[in-house]
Amino acid sequence: MLLAICDPEAEYLQLFHEYLKKSCHLTWKVHAFTDLLQLQKAGAEKYCVLVIAESAYVPELLETDRQRVIVLNESGLKKWEGVTYVDKYQKAELVKNQILQYYAEFSDRILPRLQKKYNTRLIGFFSPLRRSLQTSFSLTVGQLLAAQHEVLYLNFEPFSGRNALFADSNSYDLSDLLYFLGSDKDKFPLRMEVALRRLGELSYVPPMRFGQNLLGVSSGEWISLLSTIEEMGEYEYILLDLSECVQGIFEILGMCERIFTMTGRDETACSKILQYEQILQQNDLGEVLQKTEKLCLPVFHTLPDDYEQLTKSELAKVAENMLKGIGEQ
C-alpha cells in the first residue's frame, strides 16, 4: 500500500510521517509532500490513499478519485463533498487509526502485515479473589516488559473500572475484534491495527464497553482470537487479565506459559484459593497449577491514579522480581 501525505506545515508533516513509519505493523509505504504540485509530479494516481491538509487541497488540481482522498481538517468546516475529513489537530494515533479505518471500509485489497517476527507467549493473570490488585499488577508487568519487548495487554473483566483503557464511542474494542474475526477474517489484521491503543510502550485493545457480553462469547471464539493474534507474530508476549466471566477460562489458562494468581492473608481469601486449586485438581488441570505463581501482595499505602506511573510505584518493585527470567527465555 502506498500512502501519500501532503501538508505545507513542514514540522507537522515530518513528525506525522515519522510516526506512521514507526507505529504501524502493516506493509505500507508513506511518502510525504509539502504541496500538491509535488504530489502531482510524483503521480497521485499510484497512491491508495491521499491524506491532504485542508490548506493544501485544491480539488481542481487533483485529478483523482475523491474516494481515495482524506482531508486533514484544520478549520472545522467541511468545504468539499465526496472526500473524507479527519481532524488534523488530535493525537497522531487517532489520525492514523481513522485513516486505516477508512481504508478498511472502502478498499477490497487485503493489506498484509509485516513478516512474522515472534513466537508469541501468553501470560495469564487470574484470581478468584476480588479487589486483589490483579489489573494494577498486570498493567505494571505489561509496561515494564514492554520497555524491551513487544507486548499486548487484553482485559477480560466485566467492569474493569479503568476508564482510561476504554475506547471512545467511535473506536473499536475487544467485542469488535471478535466480530471482525467471524465476519471478515482477511481484513482482521487491519481492523486490529485500528483497535490498538498505547499505554506508554504497552499495546492494548480496549475492553468491552458492556462487560456482560463476555458471558456470550464461547471458549472456541476466545481461543480462535488468541490463536489468530499469535499467528501474526507481532508480539513477544500477550498478557491476559482474566476473570471468571470468561467462558473456557481453564482452557485459556492452559494455553498460558506462566500464570500469576493474587492471594490474600485472611481466612476467606485462603478458602477461595483452596477451592479454586481443588477444582483444578478435580478436573485434571494440574498443569495450570504447575505454571502458577501465587502472589500475596503487601499493603500499599498509595498507588498512582495515572496508570503510566505504576512503573514508578511500590507495586513495580514486586513486579520486577516476578519478571526475572521472562525476557531471558
Side-chain angles (χ1 to χ4, degrees), residues 118-119 121 123 141-142 144-151 236-237 239 257-258 260 293 319-329:
Y118 305 112
N119 292 317
R121 289 178 271 180
I123 299 178
V141 169
L144 290 173
L145 200 56
Q148 296 181 334
H149 304 276
E150 290 291 334
V151 184
E236 293 174 78
Y237 301 95
L239 308 190
E257 178 182 281
R258 196 168 179 181
F260 293 105
E293 291 187 46
E320 287 169 351
N321 289 331
M322 293 300 100
L323 280 173
K324 288 179 179 178
I326 284 186
E328 302 168 2
Q329 296 176 7

Side-chain angles (χ1 to χ4, degrees), residues 154-318:
L154 300 176
N155 184 291
F156 296 83
E157 290 185 292
F159 304 100
S160 71
R162 298 275 169 171
N163 292 332
L165 295 181
F166 282 93
D168 59 53
S169 58
N170 296 317
S171 301
Y172 297 149
D173 64 14
L174 196 54
S175 59
D176 293 306
L177 283 193
L178 288 164
Y179 171 77
F180 294 132
L181 187 64
S183 64
D184 196 355
K185 192 171 182 179
D186 287 337
K187 287 188 177 181
F188 178 81
L190 178 56
R191 303 285 192 180
M192 182 170 172
E193 190 73 38
V194 177
L196 287 175
R197 295 291 182 273
R198 304 281 283 191
L199 183 63
E201 296 298 315
L202 176 65
S203 298
Y204 71 94
V205 175
M208 290 185 177
R209 295 179 183 87
F210 305 103
Q212 62 269 33
N213 291 343
L214 286 165
L215 296 169
V217 182
S218 70
S219 60
E221 289 175 295
W222 287 129
I223 291 171
S224 178
L225 176 66
L226 294 175
S227 297
T228 299
I229 297 174
E230 281 186 279
E231 289 168 6
M232 292 176 185
E234 291 296 332
Y235 300 99
E236 293 174 78
Y237 301 95
I238 301 177
L239 308 190
L240 308 178
D241 188 357
L242 297 160
S243 73
E244 64 272 17
C245 292
V246 176
Q247 303 294 323
I249 179 68
F250 294 147
E251 292 176 76
I252 294 172
L253 288 172
M255 296 170 63
C256 294
E257 178 182 281
R258 196 168 179 181
I259 302 163
F260 293 105
T261 294
M262 307 295 117
T263 65
R265 296 178 176 82
D266 61 274
E267 184 177 348
T268 300
C270 293
S271 297
K272 288 183 178 182
I273 294 296
L274 178 61
Q275 182 182 8
Y276 165 64
E277 292 176 339
Q278 288 174 340
I279 290 173
L280 290 176
Q281 295 284 14
Q282 291 167 5
N283 287 276
D284 296 323
L285 294 168
E287 62 169 346
V288 172
L289 286 175
Q290 292 173 6
K291 295 185 287 187
T292 296
E293 291 187 46
K294 293 193 289 186
L295 299 177
C296 187
L297 296 176
V299 176
F300 300 110
H301 298 294
T302 57
L303 287 176
D305 294 326
D306 184 345
Y307 312 133
E308 289 193 50
Q309 295 301 312
L310 284 170
T311 56
K312 301 175 183 178
S313 68
E314 297 175 272
L315 188 56
K317 297 177 182 177
V318 179

Side-chain angles (χ1 to χ4, degrees), residues 101-132:
Q101 188 170 355
Y102 174 71
Y103 179 83
E105 294 298 332
F106 88 82
S107 177
D108 293 328
R109 293 178 56 189
I110 299 171
L111 191 59
R113 297 177 76 88
L114 299 175
Q115 186 175 2
K116 182 175 180 178
K117 293 184 287 188
Y118 305 112
N119 292 317
T120 306
R121 289 178 271 180
L122 302 183
I123 299 178
F125 300 82
F126 177 73
S127 174
L129 306 182
R130 301 289 180 89
R131 300 181 63 83
S132 62

